[in-house]
Amino acid sequence: MQTQTIALIDDDRNILTSISIALEKEGFKVQTYIDGESALIGLSRSPPDLAVIDIKMPKMDGEELLKRLRKKTSLPVIFLTSKDDEIDELIGLKLGADDFMKKSGGFSIKVLIERIRVQLRKKDININLEETKNIISHGKLKLDPSQLECEWDGKQLPDKLTTTEFLIVKELAKRPGIIKERAQLMDIAYREDTDIEDRTIDSHVKRIRKKFKKVDSEFTAIETRYGSGYRWNVS
């Protein structure tokens, strides 16, 4: 199996060193950057398999870095935040992060590594499963799971779906008209033993709609069924 590469972007050199050592012990290659500006250049030249990004950094913060990355790639991203409140989490999800972790309150590198593995497994599922060889089409929607590409009415989405977002759209679109409960979508997008709240799925869906509306301001294909979940509109 090819060694997977993790990019770490954080202005705290102690954090970079400790996480790098732990990841290398687990068999990963590691790229490190101390600010978003250098990371944007480095990630473009040598794309990793996943990036762990701190939100608060000099020159270019994590929010701006993720905005720019999402215009070009669906690279799995885990945000690191130093705050205990929910603001950074919500910002990260709105920008298209796949997961987040707080650095305060008992930060665990072991937990971070497990979350990294979860995101990499999701990426591998899309590449390796037999069904990913098949294009999924429904009405204006066209999904290519092998490339994580999404088209709406013949147009590529200007902001690519993240792996998590792609899995949610794929799950809804393959059974049009069938309501998918939030718990079902969480199992698909994350993993059964991962502690994720309902509002996390709601944030992902909100972000998905926003991306589709960039090519179709009248996009209404994802219907909210209050108290139940979501479904792909058959109309």
Side-chain angles (χ1 to χ4, degrees):
M1 179 183 293
Q2 184 177 358
T3 302
Q4 293 174 302
T5 300
I6 309 300
L8 303 177
I9 304 98
D10 198 310
D11 62 327
D12 187 329
R13 294 182 184 274
N14 291 329
I15 288 285
L16 287 180
T17 300
S18 57
I19 297 177
S20 294
I21 291 172
L23 285 171
E24 287 170 351
K25 285 182 178 178
E26 294 294 321
F28 293 103
K29 291 182 180 178
V30 180
Q31 303 169 353
T32 60
Y33 305 93
I34 60 171
D35 59 72
E37 213 169 72
S38 60
L40 185 63
I41 296 171
L43 297 181
S44 298
R45 292 176 176 172
S46 182
D49 294 287
L50 179 144
V52 178
I53 303 176
D54 184 34
I55 290 183
K56 306 302 180 186
M57 293 185 295
K59 295 186 180 180
M60 181 189 297
D61 64 18
E63 295 172 23
E64 181 61 26
L65 174 60
L66 184 56
K67 283 181 184 178
R68 298 195 186 191
L69 288 175
R70 282 290 172 255
K71 294 181 181 298
K72 301 177 180 180
T73 178
S74 58
L75 171 76
V77 167
I78 297 176
F79 255 166
L80 294 182
T81 170
S82 58
K83 295 183 178 180
D84 287 325
D85 57 33
E86 298 177 351
I87 295 175
D88 282 348
E89 175 190 357
L90 294 174
I91 289 173
L93 293 173
K94 288 179 180 178
L95 292 177
D98 296 276
D99 201 355
F100 85 102
M101 275 193 69
K102 295 182 177 72
K103 290 197 286 186
S104 57
F107 173 72
S108 168
I109 293 178
K110 288 184 178 180
V111 172
L112 174 61
I113 291 174
E114 178 57 26
R115 287 176 179 251
I116 288 171
R117 293 192 189 282
V118 168
Q119 295 301 325
L120 292 174
R121 280 196 291 269
K122 289 195 305 183
K123 183 178 179 181
D124 290 341
I125 286 171
N126 281 282
I127 295 173
N128 296 325
L129 286 181
E130 186 68 24
E131 66 177 7
T132 63
K133 297 179 180 178
N134 301 320
I135 300 295
I136 298 171
S137 295
H138 176 72
K140 296 180 180 180
L141 179 71
K142 182 179 179 181
L143 296 175
D144 182 355
S146 65
Q147 301 297 322
L148 290 181
E149 295 287 351
C150 177
E151 291 183 9
W152 181 256
D153 201 16
K155 300 175 183 176
Q156 288 276 353
L157 301 189
D159 294 340
K160 292 190 66 171
L161 297 176
T162 67
T163 303
T164 301
E165 292 165 354
F166 191 94
L167 288 172
I168 291 172
V169 171
K170 178 170 168 283
E171 182 64 18
L172 291 172
K174 72 180 184 181
R175 298 285 303 278
I178 302 298
I179 297 172
K180 288 291 182 179
E181 297 179 356
R182 288 175 177 82
Q184 292 175 301
L185 294 175
M186 283 188 278
D187 288 346
I188 294 296
Y190 290 90
R191 205 177 59 165
E192 292 184 10
D193 59 351
T194 302
D195 186 17
I196 301 295
E197 298 181 8
D198 285 357
R199 63 183 175 81
T200 303
I201 292 297
D202 295 338
S203 295
H204 282 306
V205 171
K206 184 177 180 180
R207 178 72 180 174
I208 290 166
R209 285 174 171 150
K210 184 177 180 181
K211 290 183 177 182
F212 275 94
K213 285 185 177 181
K214 284 194 174 183
V215 296
D216 180 1
S217 60
E218 303 299 322
F219 177 81
T220 58
I222 299 178
E223 180 182 352
T224 302
R225 305 295 292 179
Y226 293 100
S228 300
Y230 297 94
R231 73 174 183 179
W232 194 265
N233 203 327
V234 294
S235 60

